[in-house]
Amino acid sequence: MRIAILKETAPGEARVAATPETVKKFTALGATVAIEEGAGAAASYPDEAYREAGAEVLPTARAVADADIVLGIQAPPVMALAGAKKGAWVAASFDPFRQQELVADYAKGGFEALAMELMPRITRAQSMDVLSSQSNLAGYKAVLTAANVYGRAFPMMMTAAGTVQAARVFVMGVGVAGLQAIATAKRLGAQVSATDVRSATKEQIQSLGAKPVFVENVAGIEGEGAGGYATEMSEEYQKAQAELVSNHIAKQDIVITTALIPGRAAPRLMSDAQITTMKPGSVIFDLAVAQGGNVEGSSPDEVVEKHGVKIVGYTNTAGHLAADASALFARNLFNFLNAFWDKDEGRPVLDEEIGDAIRLTRDGAVVHPKLAS
Ligand code: NAD
């Protein structure tokens, strides 16, 4: 089994899909690992560390030559896979609903595309879940970035010159990123409140010592919904949510929005009119900016100032913590292949539950049920 890791080519992508630690682990399974020169440099993993861990460090074309499996953070363009074995697996994030052309290219190229972001949310797959590992870091970084842009302090400070009031932070969307954002803002000493459409999050918010702010007069999503994900809400709910948010955000200094709905554009949670009610100097971090944005006027990788409020959002928030984000992503990939490693065959063999959930293409065709039609 030859496993190849290429240097990421997407603009601004500093992460890498293998670390010296996972190289060692793959080697212990009996695989050979080839990594492109400089692939880990932006994430602070030098070529030398990969070599010491047992990898072959090679120029692009030679790194991918004869690969049975290619690992990536963002799936490489098919062109970059020239020389890999026929039917080679490529395990990476594909953003498959928005990148259908890329998926079609993989089918044409005869590769087996395995979309890590489609990993089912079942207990045994938790350690393979790249969305969780990256969202957790993103939630943390969103709060730190907002704190950095904010012209005031987060904690209450009682000084001889007078008292500095604690910042008020409101987190909208309490999934993996939102929970970490709450925890981080609390650690920095802010007064934190949070909301979600899933009522199951109320207790989680309280257990982190934050205040839940929920639409009470219209039903939200009871329990967890399919795979724990949210769906699009009724118009009535959206109206009630807008009213609730309008009243609440006028008193907030920082708003962190994290709301996503799988396979759709991010729901709009804050309008320009609502932003006008916030105090000048307030900061909004829109974690969903790359998926269309929760906040009107947010723009990827820019600080937009509207009505004295700064709106921030990164295309790739976890990528701003490239070393840790790579370490966790690389472990997710290792955990995935290791869980299915067939010792007798010396290669991974997927089962139906996980294989069918993440496989986009095989034998020249797009095979994922959500894409094939
Ligand atoms: P996500 O990134 O899809 O969405 C972020 C949050 O936004 C979610 O909590 C969602 O309910 C919320 N949201 C959507 N529309 C909204 C709206 N209009 N207003 C306010 N909030 C809105 O979510 P996620 O971080 O992937 O987590 C979703 C759930 O899955 C969580 O309960 C999480 O604990 C669970 N989970 C389970 C596993 C597992 O079992 N393997 C792994 C990861 C996460």
Side-chain angles (χ1 to χ4, degrees):
M1 254 299 107
R2 194 170 169 85
I3 301 177
I5 298 98
L6 299 180
K7 189 170 157 60
E8 296 290 315
T9 52
E13 181 56 85
R15 293 171 293 175
V16 58
T19 57
E21 176 197 301
T22 62
V23 166
K24 243 186 232 159
K25 289 181 171 169
F26 281 124
T27 313
L29 286 178
T32 307
V33 181
I35 185 159
E36 183 179 347
E37 285 168 349
S44 313
Y45 299 106
D47 286 351
E48 200 40 44
Y50 288 104
R51 247 182 236 117
E52 274 168 23
E56 296 172 18
V57 180
L58 300 165
T60 321
R62 283 178 53 208
V64 81
D66 284 329
D68 299 281
I69 300 177
V70 179
L71 304 179
I73 300 280
Q74 302 188 43
V78 170
M79 252 172 17
L81 300 172
K85 284 216 185 102
K86 190 172 181 295
W89 291 9
V90 180
S93 40
F94 278 79
D95 197 3
F97 302 112
R98 291 194 298 171
Q99 302 244 50
Q100 303 210 8
E101 227 170 277
L102 178 75
V103 177
D105 285 349
Y106 269 72
K108 263 186 246 150
F111 296 107
E112 190 159 329
L114 302 172
M116 292 299 287
E117 67 267 69
L118 299 184
M119 194 57 74
R121 290 202 145 167
I122 49 177
T123 307
R124 76 188 166 104
Q126 269 181 357
S127 67
M128 314 169 194
D129 185 349
V130 297
L131 287 183
S132 292
S133 72
Q134 305 302 294
S135 295
N136 178 45
L137 290 169
Y140 162 81
K141 191 67 181 179
V143 173
L144 289 198
T145 306
N148 212 14
V149 172
Y150 185 48
R152 298 167 187 265
F154 261 40
M156 185 173 95
M157 293 184 201
M158 288 157 107
T159 77
T163 302
V164 169
Q165 293 301 327
R168 289 172 194 266
V169 175
F170 181 39
V171 178
M172 301 183 74
V174 187
V176 179
L179 284 171
Q180 185 55 255
I182 295 173
T184 304
K186 285 290 293 181
R187 274 185 228 127
L188 288 178
Q191 274 186 33
V192 187
S193 57
T195 191
D196 200 292
V197 290
R198 295 181 296 115
S199 42
T201 59
K202 209 181 239 178
E203 259 178 45
Q204 297 167 358
I205 296 166
Q206 279 163 333
S207 73
L208 287 170
K211 185 179 159 227
V213 176
F214 276 72
V215 172
E216 301 288 358
N217 47 342
V218 185
I221 301 171
E222 289 302 323
E224 283 292 332
Y229 286 117
T231 47
E232 201 154 44
M233 304 307 287
S234 67
E235 243 172 65
E236 191 191 6
Y237 184 96
Q238 286 178 26
K239 201 163 153 261
Q241 186 186 41
E243 251 164 56
L244 176 87
V245 168
S246 295
N247 293 333
H248 191 65
I249 59 172
K251 299 175 227 125
Q252 303 304 308
D253 302 299
I254 310 281
V255 178
I256 311 281
T257 70
T258 80
L260 291 176
I261 301 167
R264 288 177 184 246
R268 182 51 47 90
L269 301 182
M270 285 180 86
S271 66
D272 189 67
Q274 287 172 318
I275 297 169
T276 59
T277 67
M278 295 184 78
K279 285 172 278 182
S282 302
V283 178
I284 304 170
F285 193 105
D286 185 351
L287 258 167
V289 72
Q291 286 84 16
N294 294 143
V295 181
E296 187 174 349
S298 67
S299 173
D301 305 314
E302 272 184 65
V303 180
V304 178
E305 192 155 346
K306 287 265 174 85
H307 319 294
V309 177
K310 291 196 175 86
I311 310 169
V312 196
Y314 295 141
T315 329
N316 177 356
T317 316
H320 286 255
L321 293 163
D324 278 334
S326 303
L328 297 186
F329 201 113
R331 272 185 219 143
N332 292 143
L333 287 168
F334 173 78
N335 293 336
F336 162 56
L337 293 177
N338 182 46
F340 291 107
W341 205 270
D342 184 315
K343 286 208 176 76
D344 299 330
E345 295 203 31
R347 65 181 189 94
V349 179
L350 301 186
D351 67 11
E352 273 180 23
E353 189 180 27
I354 289 183
D356 293 354
I358 65 172
R359 188 180 299 106
L360 304 176
T361 62
R362 181 151 72 179
D363 298 332
V366 176
V367 294
H368 198 280
K370 289 197 182 136
L371 291 171
S373 57

